[in-house]
Structures are given as C-alpha cells and as structure tokens.
Amino acid sequence: MGFRSSSLRTKVVALLATLTALWAFGAWVTLRDGLNLVWVQTLEARVYAPTETLVLNLQAERRLSLAHLGSPTAPARTTLEAERQKAQADAASFRKTAQDRWARFAGSDELDRRIAQTLTALDGLTTVREQVDARRIDRTATAAAFTETIRQIFRIYDVLGDLDGGEIDRYAATLISLNQVRELIAQEDALLAGTFAAGRITPVEHAQFVQLVGARRLLAGTAAADLPDTERTRYDQVVQQGANSRLLTTEDQIVMSARPGGRLPVSADDWRRVVDPASAELLEIVLAGGEVVVAQAIPVAIWVIVRVLIAAVLGLIAVIISVNAARSLVRQLERLRQAALTLANDRLPDLVARLGRGETVDIESEAPPLQVGRDEIGQVAQAFNAAQETALRTAVGQAELRRSVRDIFLSLARRTQALLHRQLTLLDTMERRERAPEELEDLFRVDHLATRMRRNAENLIVLSGSTAGRAWRRNVPMVDVLRGAAAEVEDYTRVTVLPVGPVDLAGRAVGDVIHLLAELIENGLSFSPPHTGVQVSGQLVANGYAVEIEDRGLGMTPEDRANANDRIASNPEFALSATAQLGLFVVSRLAQRHGVRIRLKESPYGGTTAVVLIPLNLITERTADGEPAGSSTGQQLAASTVGGDARRLSEHGDPESRPAYRGRSRDPRGGPPLG
C-alpha cells in the first residue's frame, strides 16, 4: 500500500532504477564470463606454467628420495641435492608469481585458498627432507608426503579448469586428467626406484604398485574418452604404438611375475628405458592440449566481450530512452498538476474576488489553455482545459448571480427605505398635531415599528455593499447614540443604558454605530428570557471608547463563541444559505467600515457580553461647560438623512419641549431616543 500511494515520480524512478540494475547485472554476468576467459593467459603464465616444472622436479626428487632410502649407495647424495635445489627454486618462483596482484585479481577466492594450501604443503617438505637425510622415515611415508604436495597442485588445476567456457572447460578438465595419469606413472616410478635400490619388493609395495597401475589405466581410459576426435586419434596412436604401449607390457610383467619379498622381473635400466619415454609422450600431449585451450579461449573471450559491448550499448540506449521518456512524462504531468493547483488555489479565488468587486474579467486571458502535446497526457490536458473553462464560466456566472442578488437587495431596500421615510415623515406630522395621550402613544408605537423596519431595510443595503442613507453632519453625544440603538429594537423597555461620560461620536459614523449596536442588543434580547434585561454601558479607554452589551441569557458554548468572533473579525463573503446568522454579517460589515473591533465573551451571569471598541479617531471629548472640544457651536445635533429623512432633532432648544416628542420621550429608563 505504501508504494501504491507514492508519487508518480517515485514510481518512475523506481522503474528506471530496476531497469538499470537489471542491465548492469546482465552486462556484468556476460562480462565476467569474458574476463574469465581473458584471464586464462594470466593464470596460465603465473600459476599453471610455474607448477609444470615444479611437479616434474618434485616427482624426480620423490623418486631419488625413495631410492636413497632403499640403499645408502644409490643414488649419489649430490644428485639428490641437485634435484632438491631445483624443486625448492621452482617452489620459490611459484610462491612469488601466484601471490602477486595480477594473479589475485584474475583468480577467485577458492583459487587463493588452494594456492595457500599448496604453499603450506611445500613448506612441510622441509621436515620430510631432513628426515630422509637422517633416515628417520620409511619409503611409504616419504612417498605419501610428496604425493600429497603434488595432489594439492592438481587441486589448483581443478579451479583453473572452471572457466565457464563450455567445450573449453571440458577439454581443460581432460588435460588435467591426463596430467594426473602422468603423476600416477611418476608414483609407480618412485615406488620401483626404492625397490630397485633395496633389491626386493615388499608385499605392501607390491599391493601399492598394483593399485597405482589400476588407477592409472582407469583414469587414462576415462580421460581419453573425453578428448576431441583429433586428439583422441593421436592419443590412441601413442598408446598402441609408442612408449606407452611398452609401459603397459612392462607393468603387466611386474604385476604378474613379481613375488612379494623377492626381486623384480625387470631391471632398473629396462624400467628406465620404458617409463621416461612414456611420461614424455603424455607430457607432450598435455602441453599441446594446453596451447589449444588457450588458443580457443581467446576467440571465445573476444566474442563474449563483443556481445557484452553490444548488449551494453543497446542497454544503455534503452536506459537513456527510458530516462528521457520518463522525464518528459513527469515534466508534462508536473505542468498539468501545477496548472490545476494554480487554478484551484490562485486563479479561481482571485477571479471570484475580482468579480465580487465588480471588475470585468476576460476568461481567455486569465486562464489560457495548456499546450502539452497530442498524446494521452495532451488529451488529459485538453479535458482539463475544458474543465477549467467550465469552472471559470461557472465562477463568472455565480459572481454575476451574486451581483444580481445584491442589486436586488439594494433596489428593494432603497424602495422600502423611501416608503419608510415617507411613512416616518407622515407619522412625525401626525405626532405634532395629536394632543390625546392615548392616540399619541399608538402613533409612537407605529413610529417605532417603522424605525425597526428601516433598520431591516438597511441590513439589505449593508449586505449589498452600499452605504445606508442616514448620516449626521455633526458629532452626537454617546449617550444619545446608545439610546438610539436601544430604541431600534422591539423590546426596548428591557434595555438599560447606564450613564456614560461626556463623549461625542463623529457624525459620519453615527448611523452605522447605531445600527451595529442595535443588532447586538437585539441579539442579546433574543437569547434572554423575557423577564431579564440587557445592560448597555460605555467608557473611554486607552485605545478608544468601549461599549459593553451584557445579557443574562442562555450564553454560548466556547466553540460557538470562537466561531462567531472569527466570523465578525474576518468579514466573510455573505452566502445566501447563511440567513440564520444575518446579523453577524451585518455587524462584521459595519465594524470593518469604521475600524471598530468587536469581541464576544462570557458574561459573569452566564450570558454573553459583547465588547465594542470604537477607535479614537471617531471619539471627541467635551469640555467642562458641555461644549465639544475644539467646537464653538455647542452641543447641538443635526440628524439629517442623505435619502431625505425629515425626522431630525431641532438645532435649537430642548428636544423634549416639542409636542411631537412628548409622547415617546420618556421610556422606563428616561432619555429621548434618537429616531
């Protein structure tokens, strides 16, 4: 599952790595076979060739040593010493060439191990030679020591014959077998040399001679059967007509006629005239065969190397093509992936935002189609181009739909607001004429309902992104702003406005702040029991003017409170599905317009407290005599709407002295509300 879920680049790299590894492994296997054949010459020159004379000299020393042990007078001590020096010199030369770096590089670990065993056996002959000189060893033990050393050399030949060359391997193995036949002849010669020197053959020596003759003939027959046809013909001629045929006759004579404990039926000179030519004939066949092996190995090696080069070049071309194809594939997919991410994360949101601001957008220039070829990936890119164009056109359509909805909101709100302005103007005129308290109270309630309807219409204007019609030319006392906000909610009698300091609010923000506070007050009343109230207070702080609206209702969970704070602070785009939280959207828009910060927190009474921080640039403190700081006109309000609202406070005198305000100027907490 881990590899299945990995990236496409990882899969392609893994595929290429596997292909490269397989190519390298195949090239190395083929090259190794060729190198094995090429190293035949190195091993032949540094390992095999030095052992040829070494084996011959060891065989000669073995024969002379057994003759020396058979009789003190035959052979001469000087002859034995000469053969020993030859064997020791050959051993030193073999040690030097077999352990150099080229032989180690061409050989194998098994060859190194067998060479080390051979060198150990050669070192062990020093003790045997001392015992031969002191006559503390018999002929059988001496022959066994030299034979074991020569056997270790033949074990080296077994490794040299393993070259992975097919027919060449089999031919080399046959030549090694013929060489072992020569070793068995040499063992027979050494055995009889001791017997001739002693003048008689012991029963043990007779049995050993019979065993050697049988083993040699069996091995010679097996090796001859594996020879190529040309070499087999030559071998048969040697065995049937040459010295080897006379050797067979002499061996039969010794086996049949010799009696254990008696003399041999042939003389030493007769045996010498038979055995030396026979061994020389076999040596000639082995040497000629070795040259044939080397000559055949070179062309095979060259052909193997040629095949390696061809396979390597073709494999390398395949790897390069695969790498380039994979890189092109990954590059195309990366471009497609990047284009998709850019569309989803950058272009589409930016396009929607620009459309939301009313900008005109050219789809062709904003999202040009991808050009990545005509293959399968190109077809995917074309499908993506179609999906991209559809998504952008859908975004344009959605933006136009939202703009149309906002225009509808604004149109309906403006029309409703115009009617409400006319209604409020008419109510104001009727209130001024009416003198009956009961009728005046009813007119005031109708006036209050119209005021609430005007705020709801202004909500639509705010959500459409426009500015409401109400505006004040001069600063307004903060206490009147708070009372005006309380007067725009249905249960205004449950709202308590605490005394505030002598602070005025800038006229340009009065309408929006009243609207904002009214939404928060109404929200607090909606989630509070009917018998509880909402308390509104304000004070001047270091960073502005803080208004606290506290209810004693059900409260909010920490998660809901955090979500509401985030929504107010982030000023999100209004969605048609978010009508349940319409007030929060309106509050967020109004707060952002004037830099007002709003924070909801838990009330000590279990409800919710809304803290509204109005920035200092909208606040003006009044002087001790009640005049606005920096103003010479006095504390006078001119509440005039841009849309032609006729309801306004008089610029002269006490507002409560006017008959039209007497019926609604005294709510349970006192103070004239701002209309």
Side-chain angles (χ1 to χ4, degrees):
M1 290 297 294
F3 182 77
R4 186 177 300 175
S5 61
S6 59
S7 65
L8 178 63
R9 183 184 296 274
T10 302
K11 295 178 180 178
V12 171
V13 170
L15 178 62
L16 293 177
T18 303
L19 177 61
T20 304
L22 289 175
W23 166 72
F25 176 75
W28 163 245
V29 169
T30 309
L31 180 62
R32 183 191 61 186
D33 296 340
L35 289 177
N36 285 341
L37 295 173
V38 171
W39 291 127
V40 167
Q41 285 189 328
T42 301
L43 295 176
E44 193 275 338
R46 297 182 178 275
V47 178
Y48 181 78
T51 59
E52 289 181 353
T53 56
L54 176 60
V55 170
L56 293 176
N57 291 327
L58 287 176
Q59 291 172 347
E61 183 184 358
R62 177 178 56 187
R63 180 173 58 81
L64 294 175
S65 297
L66 294 182
H68 174 73
L69 292 175
S71 174
T73 60
R77 182 63 178 271
T78 56
T79 305
L80 177 58
E81 287 294 336
E83 290 297 333
R84 283 182 181 176
Q85 291 177 2
K86 291 179 183 179
Q88 290 173 345
D90 290 339
S93 177
F94 169 72
R95 183 187 300 272
K96 180 179 179 181
T97 58
Q99 290 185 324
D100 67 3
R101 60 176 182 176
W102 292 110
R104 290 180 178 273
F105 187 75
S108 61
D109 294 338
E110 179 63 20
L111 179 60
D112 293 339
R113 188 176 66 84
R114 295 194 180 186
I115 289 175
Q117 293 174 348
T118 301
L119 294 176
T120 301
L122 289 172
D123 293 337
L125 290 180
T126 302
T127 303
V128 175
R129 289 173 178 132
E130 293 175 353
Q131 293 175 345
V132 169
D133 292 340
R135 297 183 180 276
R136 293 195 305 269
I137 187 172
D138 58 11
R139 296 197 302 272
T140 302
T142 303
F146 279 93
T147 300
E148 176 61 24
T149 303
I150 295 173
R151 189 181 70 85
Q152 293 294 339
I153 296 176
F154 277 101
R155 294 183 73 242
I156 294 177
Y157 296 164
D158 293 337
V159 179
L160 292 176
D162 187 11
L163 300 174
D164 295 335
E167 293 295 332
I168 298 178
D169 272 358
R170 288 190 288 272
Y171 193 14
T174 301
L175 295 178
I176 292 173
S177 298
L178 291 178
N179 222 350
Q180 291 175 338
V181 171
R182 289 185 59 254
E183 163 60 14
L184 291 174
I185 294 175
Q187 292 182 28
E188 295 177 16
D189 185 26
L191 178 64
L192 294 181
T195 302
F196 287 131
R200 62 186 182 88
I201 184 171
T202 64
V204 174
E205 291 173 337
H206 184 268
Q208 290 178 349
F209 184 80
V210 173
Q211 292 175 353
L212 290 173
V213 171
R216 184 187 70 81
R217 294 182 179 183
L218 176 62
L219 183 59
T222 303
D226 294 332
L227 285 173
D229 294 339
T230 56
E231 297 299 324
R232 175 64 182 273
T233 302
R234 180 181 178 185
Y235 177 80
D236 291 341
Q237 292 176 353
V238 170
V239 172
Q240 296 173 5
Q241 301 175 7
N244 275 271
S245 64
R246 295 192 299 272
L247 177 62
L248 294 175
T249 303
T250 305
E251 288 175 340
D252 292 339
Q253 184 178 0
I254 295 174
V255 170
M256 300 299 295
S257 302
R259 294 291 181 266
R263 291 180 177 274
L264 293 174
V266 296
S267 65
D269 294 336
D270 292 338
W271 172 255
R272 185 94 276 118
R273 285 190 296 268
V274 171
V275 71
D276 290 340
S279 180
E281 286 179 349
L282 286 179
L283 179 60
E284 183 179 354
I285 293 176
V286 171
L287 293 178
E291 294 177 357
V292 172
V293 169
V294 174
Q296 291 179 352
I298 296 301
V300 174
I302 293 175
W303 171 239
V304 170
I305 293 177
V306 170
R307 285 186 302 170
V308 169
L309 293 177
I310 295 174
V313 171
L314 294 178
L316 184 59
I317 293 174
V319 171
I320 293 174
I321 294 175
S322 300
V323 170
N324 290 335
R327 289 179 58 187
S328 176
L329 176 65
V330 172
R331 204 161 37 237
Q332 288 178 294
L333 292 176
E334 283 288 343
R335 289 176 56 190
L336 188 61
R337 171 180 173 272
Q338 188 61 37
L341 292 177
T342 301
L343 176 66
N345 298 331
D346 299 328
R347 285 183 177 175
L348 203 56
D350 179 67
L351 185 64
V352 171
R354 291 168 57 189
L355 291 171
R357 295 192 296 267
E359 298 181 13
T360 302
V361 177
D362 184 6
I363 296 179
E364 296 295 334
S365 61
E366 292 294 333
L370 294 177
Q371 301 294 337
V372 292
R374 298 183 179 180
D375 55 3
E376 287 76 4
I377 297 179
Q379 295 173 4
V380 174
Q382 292 176 1
F384 173 77
N385 291 335
Q388 174 180 258
E389 183 178 357
T390 302
L392 293 178
R393 293 191 183 280
T394 302
V396 171
Q398 291 294 325
E400 292 177 351
L401 176 61
R402 286 195 296 270
R403 186 162 54 245
S404 299
V405 171
R406 287 198 299 267
D407 292 341
I408 293 173
F409 283 173
L410 183 60
S411 178
L412 292 176
R414 292 295 188 193
R415 294 179 183 182
T416 303
Q417 193 178 45
L419 295 175
L420 288 173
H421 287 168
R422 293 173 57 187
Q423 181 179 355
L424 289 172
T425 301
L426 180 61
L427 288 172
D428 185 57
T429 302
M430 295 175 63
E431 289 172 358
R432 292 176 186 275
R433 293 198 308 263
E434 185 61 46
R435 292 293 181 267
E438 294 180 358
E439 298 296 331
L440 190 61
E441 184 67 24
D442 291 339
L443 289 175
F444 174 73
R445 290 180 179 177
V446 174
D447 187 296
H448 180 73
L449 291 174
T451 300
R452 292 181 56 229
M453 292 174 63
R454 180 182 63 187
R455 178 166 59 86
N456 291 333
E458 288 180 353
N459 284 346
L460 298 179
I461 296 176
V462 172
L463 293 176
S464 67
S466 300
T467 304
R470 290 189 297 166
W472 276 257
R473 293 190 298 269
R474 299 181 182 178
N475 297 347
V476 177
M478 187 60 70
V479 63
D480 291 339
V481 173
L482 300 182
R483 289 175 178 174
E488 292 198 1
V489 300
E490 181 177 4
D491 293 337
Y492 65 91
T493 57
R494 294 168 54 196
V495 180
T496 302
V497 179
L498 299 181
V500 297
V503 175
D504 292 347
L505 180 64
R508 66 180 183 275
V510 170
D512 290 339
V513 172
I514 290 176
H515 193 163
L516 183 153
L517 295 176
E519 292 291 341
L520 294 175
I521 292 172
E522 187 170 56
N523 187 71
L525 291 172
S526 300
F527 292 95
S528 300
H531 64 277
T532 62
V534 172
Q535 183 174 285
V536 181
S537 62
Q539 59 179 334
L540 192 64
V541 295
N543 296 325
Y545 192 85
V547 178
E548 293 189 1
I549 302 172
E550 179 183 82
D551 65 59
R552 303 186 180 184
L554 302 176
M556 303 174 67
T557 63
E559 293 78 9
D560 292 340
R561 188 162 50 248
N563 292 334
N565 284 326
D566 292 339
R567 188 173 294 107
I568 293 173
S570 61
N571 188 25
E573 182 73 18
F574 174 68
L576 296 178
S577 60
T579 55
Q581 298 175 333
L582 183 63
L584 291 181
F585 285 100
V586 174
V587 168
S588 177
R589 293 287 178 84
L590 295 174
Q592 185 186 34
R593 184 177 298 172
H594 298 285
V596 177
R597 288 186 291 174
I598 302 174
R599 191 72 178 173
L600 303 181
K601 64 178 184 179
E602 186 179 4
S603 169
Y605 303 100
T608 301
T609 299
V611 180
V612 181
L613 182 62
I614 303 173
L616 287 174
N617 61 348
L618 299 178
I619 302 300
T620 302
E621 290 189 81
R622 276 178 284 157
T623 60
D625 57 359
E627 296 294 329
S631 173
S632 59
T633 59
Q635 177 57 37
Q636 298 168 338
L637 295 177
S640 175
T641 63
V642 175
D645 186 2
R647 299 180 70 246
R648 58 184 180 274
L649 296 177
S650 173
E651 296 183 1
H652 303 282
D654 183 4
E656 295 187 14
S657 63
R658 295 175 50 194
Y661 283 79
R662 284 195 296 270
R664 57 188 177 100
S665 61
R666 290 284 185 241
D667 62 20
R669 294 159 303 285
L674 285 177

